[in-house]
Amino acid sequence: MALEPARDGRRAALALLLAGLALAAALAVAAARAWSPEWRAHQQAYRALGLAGDEGALGLQQGADCLGEVERCATCHLGARRPELMGRALPAPLGAHPAGLLERHPPRVGCTDCHGGVGRALSARAAHAMPDGETREPQLRGPHQQARCARCHLPSAALGMPRVVAGAELYLELGCAICHPLAPGGRGGYDFGPDLRALGRRTPRALEQSLLEPAANFPESSMPSFRPTFEDQPGALVDLVIFLEVLGLEGGGACGLQANSAALAAGPCATCHAGPGGRAGGRFSHRCDFLRARAGELACARCHPAEIPAAGPGGGECPAVRVHRDACGLCHLAADLEATR
Amino acid sequence: MSFLPALLENLRRLPARALADLRPGRGQAGAPGADDAARRMRRSFVLHLHPLKVTERALDPWLTLGLGIATGALFLALLVSGLLLMLYYVPSPERAHGSMLDLEHAVAFGAFLRALHRWAAHGMVVAVGLHLLRVAAQGAYRRRELNWMVGLGLLGLTLALAFTGYLLPWDQRSYWAVTVSANLVDHVPWLGAGLKQLFLGGERVGAATLVRFYALHVAVLPVLLAGLLALHLWRIRKDGGLAASAGAAPTLPAWPHLMLRLAALAVGVLAALCLVAALVDAPLGAPLDPHQPSNPEKSPWYFLGLQEMVSYSAPVGGLIFPGVLGLLLLLLPFLDREDGAPGRWFGDGRVRVQVLAWGGASAVCLAAFVALQLSAQARGAAAASDLWNPATGMLLLGAVAFVGAGALGRSTRAACLAALLVLLVALAGFTLVGLCRGPDWAFFWPWEAWPGGA
């Protein structure tokens, strides 16, 4: 290798210069991407429509949901809280919220409180996190959105949650609570199933799969398949899934509706047997009433059809309760049970 | 002179004196025979990396492939981007994932910084691995035994840094990857459970693990790595520069010929890294959910080969294979004391033939072993014994290669390099197989869709 020192020195310097230029170019690409996020285009469209009163007021819009979690939805959904824009045909993220619900909620209720999604994200793909996307807090769509109402409100058809109520009833009728107890601190008759308050965070599709093919996610699962049950009523399957989604949501405690969320946490029984303050009313008798009324449907009643006594004074203690003593935890708090014994 | 006039005089002459006195290399300017380039080299701390004059051979890009410099450049990028990420990241289970989302969406250049850090980390693991391979293949560990050991330490620290950083996003991917990798530690006899407890700060990955990994990632490991790196660079100079340039008389001044080349390479690596980071976002998964394991649960790619072997046999993959490989790397400069062919890939003549032949044979054997294993799995046939699997086969082949190449090539270097190549081919191959694993650790080609459409 014959090397001319002067020429080689120049070549090396040129290589360094070219590498430096390449670095500058790469940084320019990075800057171009960083300065042109998705939301700027929406805000430009908003300005172009003459909707931005004060030009300087726009930019990153940051709020909080009722638990104080940051949400930045308003950065793109610029007209969401401007009822005066209602009725105007505006392009997708800019329009006003549909009438009816927004004005009935206090302002501290954030977008994600009802819609779910990832509040901190600023790209549609990350923020909306569609139900089938890989996310724990999916933006629930269609009937699934009813699940989010139950985060703060007691499930009731009158409040627009008929599918949650239907799902809660299914949960009891199918005997889910036998293996998957709901009450905090309470244990079911059998300590078989995992805590559904954690599992409810799965995507709707994963929940459906768990019901139809329990072994698909967990090969050692001893849970029976509920495919025959839902064969000819897919709507009922969705109802149950919606109820399971309710269990997976964290309550909106900071909104001043703690009583409601506590009652909800006390068990799905409160849905049907709401006593004072929304708590499940009554103790053993209620449980026995419930068992008796559903004797034909309950899983336990299939094994012990004759043992469920009449309710009320003199009816005696329900043997199902005696045998599965801890089954009371299905609906009752552990502390309540201690007080009763 | 009284106090005040002296002070005024000093203040008046401060700018000129500062310029003169703070110039690096003061007092060496008049060294006998010093030309411009030599003065520049002497003045600069950084340029002391190489001697004043180098051989023409040292400029050959195929000699070292610049892997050490590339690793250094990536480490620099990691330090800078890591320090900036530290300003936003919060190492608590409640806020870690939220701070990642903030970085990704609300912080100026946050997504770029995160991508830069992520891709530089993967790149550094690759570069360190290839650097080690290059040094081993050229026999450049000879007469540099201490620096070879320091280099192995740097490899370990790089892997530890990459692994501790993997947990910090606190998403599904990181949680389950660290859980699976921590379970690999379980296979260490006697110490396994204790070690796992030490790493995780509990029985399972939790808040204590996050703080532990964070402290290791941002303080302990980088400081150790920087210290070892300084030692590594100093030893290069002390050991006489590049191993390959030993023997020939140095004729060319290192400045500008070598130094500008190194600078161009480092800047070029940074440019490529920045371009990748600008175009490809770092992945961020769903917030972690301990109740919803991802299927398959995969460790980071650099441990995937071990995980694949553990799926055949826990003791082989979790202990014996990494143990044998580590021991071979540690003992390499003491098993091979031959001095021939410095800087030649895989030695010379007989040695090269032996090493490459055994390396090629190992690739063929690996493919055959894996094919047998996969077809047995597909048939659902129970393995005759837990120990009879592709990983054990490759270990045996490594032993055969050690003896065979050594005897046929009449060279300890041929024996060591052949065995090392067989083991590294196995590790690379098992990593590729691991990448192809889908739900329930079933094998899928990259173009096949997984059932369930995850």
Side-chain angles (χ1 to χ4, degrees), chain A residues 1-6 8-9 12-13 15-16 19-20 22-23 26-27 29-31 33-35 39 60 72 118 120-123 126 134-136 198-199 201-202 205-206, chain B residues 56-57 59 98-99 101-102 105-106 109 112 172 252 256-257 260-261 263-264 267-268 270-271 274-275 277-281 285-289 291-293 295 440 452-453:
Chain A
M1 179 167 64
L3 192 140
E4 284 178 48
D8 183 77
L16 179 57
L23 180 58
L27 288 174
V29 173
R33 274 203 77 192
W35 284 328
W39 56 267
L60 201 88
R72 308 192 170 105
V118 180
R120 285 173 189 264
L122 276 173
S123 70
E134 188 211 353
T135 169
R136 195 181 71 176
L199 294 190
R201 291 173 182 177
R202 293 181 167 195
R205 205 175 62 165
Chain B
E56 230 171 88
R57 183 129 190 258
L59 302 186
S99 61
L101 283 169
D102 286 351
H105 294 283
F109 286 94
F112 173 68
Q172 279 287 68
L252 275 177
H257 302 284
L260 284 188
R261 274 177 167 81
V267 175
L270 291 179
C274 287
L275 191 66
L279 296 179
V280 188
D281 287 332
L288 79 82
D289 184 355
H291 300 282
Q292 192 175 352
N295 187 5
D440 302 325

Side-chain angles (χ1 to χ4, degrees), chain A residues 168-213:
Chain A
E169 282 169 357
L170 272 171
Y171 188 86
L172 295 172
E173 282 169 16
L174 295 173
C176 309
I178 306 278
C179 295
H180 299 281
L182 293 176
R187 283 252 174 236
Y190 300 101
D191 191 14
F192 280 162
D195 188 346
L196 289 180
R197 278 170 297 163
L199 294 190
R201 291 173 182 177
R202 293 181 167 195
T203 60
R205 205 175 62 165
L207 289 172
E208 276 185 21
Q209 199 196 18
S210 300
L211 286 163
L212 300 178
E213 281 170 61

Side-chain angles (χ1 to χ4, degrees), chain B residues 403-428:
Chain B
V403 178
L408 293 172
R410 295 192 296 284
S411 153
T412 49
R413 174 163 300 174
C416 293
L417 291 190
L420 185 63
L421 196 59
V422 170
L423 294 187
L424 290 180
V425 164
L427 192 61

